[in-house]
Amino acid sequence: MSCSKGFKICSVTAILLLILLAALLLVLFFTVFKPKDPHIILKSVKLQGFKLETPTLKLNVSLGIVITVENPNHGSFTYHNNTAHLYHGETLVAEAPLREDTIPARRDHNITTSLSIFADVAKLKDLSSDYSRGVINFTSSVTLLGKVKVVNLFKMKATSFCTCYISLFVPHKSIDSICNSKIKL
Ligand SMILES: *[C@@H]1O[C@H](CO)[C@@H](O)[C@H](O)[C@H]1NC(C)=O
Ligand SMILES: *[C@@H]1O[C@H](CO)[C@@H](O)[C@H](O)[C@H]1NC(C)=O
Ligand SMILES: *[C@@H]1O[C@H](CO)[C@@H](O)[C@H](O)[C@H]1NC(C)=O
Ligand SMILES: *[C@@H]1O[C@H](CO)[C@@H](O)[C@H](O)[C@H]1NC(C)=O
């Protein structure tokens, strides 16, 4: 009698514990894995090389770039090699290779790259009118494929979509940028 009662209490306790554990995992899953979008800031841009080839009017410029990524998530993000593209209007004007890297959890991380601009000035009619207006706008986008890892325990495939709007103020030789990024599991 007491034995079967004890058994009952035991199994009820075990079931309650299992439910509690499941609830805990669910809460953990949604708090840890519900990713917050990283914050991306274009930190510095340095002119590395400049050449205007004549008479073809091909621009060959390379810019050294530092991008700071603020990762608010508990997971680190490891991504594969890819290339960021820079557009002026609809025209591809520059490329920057992004080397495979890991952005650590809850930390800032710098990414350095070199942006190669290879515009054909003769074909970019808007460029000269933008130039005379004093602001040249660019958009840049990149999709990074990789993995999110939480304390060596959970690993998930993730994709990060980043878009930046960059304005070059010609008279001040300064750059302003706004970046949006989304991370999807
Ligand atoms: C641009 O210039 C660099 C050297 O400054 C050169 O290595 C590269 O081939 C040039 N690119 C083009 C498309 O002309
Ligand atoms: C990524 O790019 C770097 C440098 O360009 C290269 O050394 C490396 O092998 C590449 N990795 C993969 C997986 O392709
Ligand atoms: C990233 O680069 C900026 C500017 O170049 C520097 O101030 C900052 O300390 C760097 N951060 C890290 C984590 O290396
Ligand atoms: C350039 O971008 C800025 C800020 O995004 C915007 O206010 C401005 O109208 C844009 N200029 C042109 C010529 O598209």
Side-chain angles (χ1 to χ4, degrees):
M1 181 81 184
S2 69
C3 185
S4 84
K5 199 178 174 189
F7 177 73
K8 245 185 214 160
I9 290 169
C10 236
S11 38
V12 166
T13 314
I15 287 169
L16 276 179
L17 266 179
L18 268 181
I19 291 172
L20 204 70
L21 197 66
L24 196 71
L25 279 180
L26 207 68
V27 168
L28 208 65
F29 184 84
F30 279 108
T31 49
V32 172
F33 284 126
K34 189 165 181 271
K36 297 189 193 89
D37 294 323
H39 206 191
I40 294 176
I41 306 147
L42 199 60
K43 263 287 159 62
S44 77
V45 179
K46 278 205 194 95
L47 194 65
Q48 288 177 329
F50 182 94
K51 205 159 71 186
L52 182 65
E53 283 162 24
T54 45
T56 50
L57 284 183
K58 280 212 173 89
L59 201 61
N60 181 358
V61 181
S62 60
L63 299 173
I65 285 180
V66 178
I67 302 158
T68 300
V69 181
E70 295 173 2
N71 182 10
N73 295 295
H74 292 274
S76 64
F77 179 57
T78 303
Y79 57 87
H80 306 302
N81 282 346
N82 208 339
T83 305
H85 299 280
L86 187 78
Y87 291 88
H88 175 259
E90 310 263 278
T91 314
L92 179 66
V93 293
E95 275 179 4
L98 291 175
R99 215 190 154 145
E100 52 197 353
D101 204 354
T102 296
I103 295 165
R106 300 183 69 78
R107 204 116 35 93
D108 291 0
H109 186 69
N110 282 347
I111 296 173
T112 54
T113 183
S114 179
L115 185 74
S116 312
I117 303 175
F118 39 79
D120 196 337
V121 176
K123 281 189 191 148
L124 288 171
K125 293 181 208 75
D126 297 345
L127 195 66
S128 56
S129 67
D130 285 359
Y131 187 90
S132 55
R133 233 184 275 137
V135 185
I136 306 174
N137 281 350
F138 299 95
T139 54
S140 177
S141 63
V142 64
T143 301
L144 296 173
L145 303 173
K147 264 191 214 113
V148 164
K149 197 160 96 177
V150 183
V151 290
N152 263 328
L153 213 62
F154 304 102
K155 279 182 208 167
M156 296 181 107
K157 274 196 179 155
T159 308
S160 172
F161 306 92
C162 315
T163 309
C164 291
Y165 301 92
I166 300 159
S167 298
L168 175 67
F169 298 98
V170 179
H172 314 287
K173 292 194 175 65
S174 67
I175 279 178
D176 206 4
S177 67
I178 302 168
C179 295
N180 297 320
S181 73
K182 287 247 168 303
I183 193 155
K184 281 217 175 95
L185 296 176

